[in-house]
Amino acid sequence: MRTTPNFLFEAIQSLAPNCQFSIFNFDYSTLVWNDENELPPPTKEELQAEIERLRAEYEYNQYQRDRASAYPSIQDQLDTLYHQGYDGWKTEIDKVKEKYPKP
């Protein structure tokens, strides 16, 4: 799982996607805001709320990452399609989807 520093960086980008900033050691007190539109930097509270939203979204989408690593390679999928047809391919894909269901 990602660590909080990545979430901090992503939270700043999410709240102010077109702004330029610098941050050192993933510490809010070192945030240097370089916004040409003169928007104020997000507050610690705004960042914390966005970090929690991003973390919840990341955890909710765990099934996608699990599925991606469990699906057969594209070459194997094409081979299954060729030899077993669509129904055979769908059976293989459904096994992964059943193992890692959507929440």
Side-chain angles (χ1 to χ4, degrees), residues 7-23:
F7 282 120
L8 174 62
F9 185 79
E10 289 179 25
I12 294 170
Q13 287 184 319
S14 176
L15 292 171
N18 297 319
C19 293
Q20 295 180 3
F21 64 92
S22 301
I23 192 163

Side-chain angles (χ1 to χ4, degrees), residues 11-98:
I12 294 170
Q13 287 184 319
S14 176
L15 292 171
N18 297 319
C19 293
Q20 295 180 3
F21 64 92
S22 301
I23 192 163
F24 303 97
N25 297 325
F26 302 103
D27 180 2
Y28 180 82
S29 65
T30 66
L31 178 65
V32 177
W33 199 249
N34 302 318
D35 182 36
E36 295 173 359
N37 299 321
E38 299 180 10
L39 293 174
T43 65
K44 284 184 181 180
E45 293 77 20
E46 290 170 331
L47 281 174
Q48 189 58 40
E50 186 64 8
I51 287 169
E52 292 306 315
R53 186 192 71 76
L54 290 170
R55 182 175 284 124
E57 181 180 293
Y58 180 81
E59 290 171 4
Y60 177 83
N61 291 323
Q62 180 64 45
Y63 79 95
Q64 293 174 342
R65 293 183 298 281
D66 293 339
R67 284 182 180 183
S69 64
Y71 283 133
S73 70
I74 294 298
Q75 292 86 353
D76 289 343
Q77 289 185 47
L78 289 172
D79 191 57
T80 301
L81 275 169
Y82 181 79
H83 292 288
Q84 300 174 26
Y86 175 77
D87 291 333
W89 171 80
K90 186 162 176 17
T91 300
E92 292 298 313
I93 297 302
D94 285 344
K95 288 178 189 176
V96 175
K97 289 184 175 190
E98 288 172 12

